[in-house]
Amino acid sequence: MAKKAKTSKASRSSKKRKGNRQTRRWWSWRFIGKLAVVVLLLAAAGMIYLDAWVRDRFDSHVWQLPARVYARPVELYPGRVLSRNDMLKLLELMRYRRAAGAPTPGSYSTDGNTLVIHTRGFRDSDGGERAERIRVTLSGDRIRGLSGGGGNDSVARLEPLQIGSIHPGHTEDRVFVPLDRVPSLLVRMLIATEDRDFYDHHGISPRGLARAMVANVKAGGLVQGGSTLTQQLVKNFWLTQDRTLARKLVEMPMAVLLELHYSKEQILEAYLNEVYLGQDGNRAIHGMGLGAQFYFGRPLEELEPHQLATLVALLKGPSYYDPRRNEARAKARRNTVLRVANDEGALSDQDFQRYKERGLEVVPRGASPLYAFPAFIDLVRRQLARDYPPEVLGEDGLRIHSTLDVLAQLASESALRDHLNRIDGSGDRLNGSVVVVAPSQGDVLALVSSRKPRDHGYNRALDASRQIGSLIKPAVVLTALKQPKRYSLATPIPDQPITVPLANGKTWTPQNFSGESHGPVPLLDVLVHSYNQGTVNLGMDLGPGDVVKTLEQLGVRRKIPAYPSILLGSINMTPFEVAMWYQPLATGGFATPLRSITDVLDKEGEPLARYPVETSEVLDSGPAYLTQWAMQQVINSGTGRGARRVLPQDLRVAGKTGTSDQYRDAWFAGFSGNHLAVVWVGRDNNQTAQVTGATGALPVWSQVMAALPQTSLSDTPPPGVENVWMAPSGDKTSGENCRDARQYPMMEASIPTQSDGCGDGGAVRKAGKGVVDWFKGLFD
């Protein structure tokens, strides 16, 4: 029994030793070696994946670059209407800085009425201009002299002003700036402040990590991260902003891989264009280029050292150091950047002392030209949407050259605001809109949709569809003049009561504005004095359907019912639509689609698309000229004569007032040889505005036209039109000095064969016509 017990004990001891050997075998070096191989293989696979990810993202540089919209270059030339105050306002909007002698591009100096301007160079589809210093002399609200500009004393062009950006598919915004255009001082400040070892490390800086660790231990918390610029780029480009160990373990190898494949210059350029600098509503501000515009309203190349230091200061926390909300905090951090730059030799002691005393000098939020003209940008966006999908507009960095004339826009805004403030000081009733067009090209030069033009939202110029009232009367007159055997401007029209039966069994009896009838009057006077009864009598004789056809011929696209009431403008249209169909009246019969864009370039500045001027003749020259001449008399002696108190007496312009029922809408549409402007004034709730076209809209139109360089309408009749003296009856010719005789331009088919026997006008005309007919007979 003792022997069996001994054997059993030995057996248990043997099993225990065997279990121990099995335990030791589980943690054997062979197992650890295998595990290490597996880990290394996984790590290698992970590194291969990270390497491919890093290279693909970096090589493609898929930054979301929104389309940028630019105004047309500002042209300065002797004789241009431009006051000293408006010139200074323009330079302020374009963020030119005042500096003695205008030493660098983007600067200017003043000496009384003489300005020295150092222009910025630019490229456009016409080749662009070099940066140069010009001298502009102003006198009497005009440019009297221009010199400099490479010997060209006839015209100088200021760079196109960026007026907006379009990024519909995302909330990121940036302006790409190549490294060779980044100020060297900014680079030195950045490296001195954020990563002193940038040019020495390979993505990770042990010294930087050690410094951060010491600082964190001393502070008792996380105050420094020790990340290199390369690591920060990795975080911004590929990863999240979360401060976690897992993100750090991924970030560090990716930084090393980035340094293995790309140069320091490439990494630095990517960092400067990717870094996050703040928030503008739902728009994220990325990159130093956009940061310069957002905070200082100037290109990055033109910023001074203290402004560059502010951009670097923001890297530590764009919200915490926001210079608009936390001025003292931002200034302290900016001065820290300046001091570090001074310690590193990037800034002299004298400059450090000078710039640390400067203010932050940031522009107010919304003061940048990028926010200046929301209504016009809305028009550009709508026209671009026909040709480009949202992802192209939001990501490909297109450069859109628009038709906006900054001076015309500012003049339009000022005229509308000032007039509405005069007649509606409370500011809570009346609003308005202005559209200015270059009629021969169809270029939209200005678009104002509110008395507060910087407000975003409802675009009255494009969307406020209101009754046009008497603006339609030129179309009624034109319809008649297209029938020269029946009508001329001298044809008597009964301005007397008329009752029109309607389809619903009711009747319509229009009244004149004055409540009085004037009996038979020349067709011309029906338009000049805007007689409602005369217009309806004429229109019913023509037929409302023919007037509708004329409107369609002029370019009206919406469907218009041929109701009798349309003869007095019971048609809803937007100011932009009115400008579209008044444009052929301004050009003598040629229609050109209105455009807000001239061309589109890619992000490298290469042309992608042009929007050429497309013109078609929609009216015969005779009726078009007669209608235009009649509209000139509206300005000279009719309902638009108030414009003569503002415009030069020798300037030939044409136009028409419009007032809708119960004074809800006040309109004026008119044109010179090179500008067409439409003005609407009213209330958004469609209640009475208690103003007429002559009192509510005409003063705005007059001020806009007076602020722009104008050319007169032609006074030369086209072939087939003669100036004829007519008897008061309107059915016989007369002589110049005959009693109550009036001279009219008339188409040959309209000229009566009979004379009233006074003077020799009819005889001379017949003799001249006989000579012409004799010569025609020779060739026939």
Side-chain angles (χ1 to χ4, degrees), residues 57-87:
R57 176 76 168 91
F58 198 88
D59 287 340
S60 63
H61 277 306
V62 187
W63 286 327
Q64 295 173 317
L65 299 175
R68 307 212 168 272
V69 185
Y70 297 86
R72 61 173 57 195
V74 177
E75 291 190 345
L76 307 177
Y77 50 84
R80 171 155 198 171
V81 177
L82 187 63
S83 69
R84 184 178 186 275
N85 286 339
D86 286 344
M87 183 76 246

Side-chain angles (χ1 to χ4, degrees), residues 56 96 118 156 239 277 345 350 375 424 478 507 576 648 675:
D56 178 69
Y96 276 67
H118 201 142
L239 305 177
L277 289 175
Q350 182 180 1
D424 179 37
L478 174 61
T507 59
F576 192 79
H675 289 107

Side-chain angles (χ1 to χ4, degrees), residues 46-277:
M47 290 295 286
I48 292 172
Y49 172 77
L50 288 178
D51 185 68
W53 190 24
V54 166
R55 295 177 67 179
D56 178 69
R57 176 76 168 91
F58 198 88
D59 287 340
S60 63
H61 277 306
V62 187
W63 286 327
Q64 295 173 317
L65 299 175
R68 307 212 168 272
V69 185
Y70 297 86
R72 61 173 57 195
V74 177
E75 291 190 345
L76 307 177
Y77 50 84
R80 171 155 198 171
V81 177
L82 187 63
S83 69
R84 184 178 186 275
N85 286 339
D86 286 344
M87 183 76 246
L88 293 176
K89 185 189 299 183
L90 174 66
L91 293 174
E92 179 184 0
L93 180 67
M94 301 180 76
R95 297 299 169 193
Y96 276 67
R97 63 191 181 281
R98 191 189 293 262
T104 57
S107 62
Y108 74 97
S109 63
T110 61
D111 181 11
N113 286 329
T114 298
L115 286 76
V116 176
I117 305 171
H118 201 142
T119 67
R120 301 179 177 115
F122 65 91
R123 285 183 58 195
D124 65 4
S125 54
D126 295 325
E129 303 286 348
R130 296 182 295 108
E132 52 197 9
R133 192 181 284 106
I134 61 174
R135 183 180 297 272
V136 181
T137 302
L138 301 159
S139 177
D141 290 344
R142 290 183 182 272
I143 297 177
R144 296 301 179 187
L146 178 70
S147 61
N152 183 2
D153 295 341
S154 60
V155 65
R157 295 199 302 164
L158 303 184
E159 75 279 2
L161 177 70
Q162 185 184 338
I163 57 174
S165 58
I166 300 175
H167 40 90
H170 57 84
T171 57
E172 285 189 16
D173 198 1
R174 61 172 51 78
V175 174
F176 178 77
V177 182
L179 186 60
D180 59 7
R181 284 177 44 203
V182 175
S184 59
L185 179 58
L186 174 63
V187 175
R188 296 184 69 182
M189 284 181 172
L190 174 66
I191 291 174
T193 306
E194 295 292 321
D195 188 358
R196 280 182 246 169
D197 304 326
F198 178 70
Y199 288 107
D200 299 322
H201 63 64
H202 299 288
I204 303 171
S205 173
R207 282 188 294 180
L209 289 171
R211 282 195 300 268
M213 187 178 298
V214 171
N216 291 336
V217 169
K218 289 182 178 180
L222 187 63
V223 295
Q224 285 189 24
S227 295
T228 64
L229 288 180
T230 312
Q231 287 176 268
Q232 292 180 40
L233 177 61
V234 167
K235 179 180 64 177
N236 291 330
F237 230 29
W238 289 275
L239 305 177
T240 68
Q241 301 294 318
D242 300 334
R243 292 189 175 187
T244 62
L245 179 62
R247 195 213 71 196
K248 206 74 176 175
L249 291 176
V250 176
E251 174 189 295
M252 294 173 72
M254 289 179 72
V256 174
L257 290 170
L258 194 61
E259 295 264 1
L260 285 175
H261 292 298
Y262 303 99
S263 68
K264 293 289 187 180
E265 288 72 22
Q266 289 173 297
I267 292 171
L268 193 57
E269 181 178 82
Y271 179 89
L272 290 166
N273 285 285
E274 177 61 27
V275 66
Y276 173 69
L277 289 175

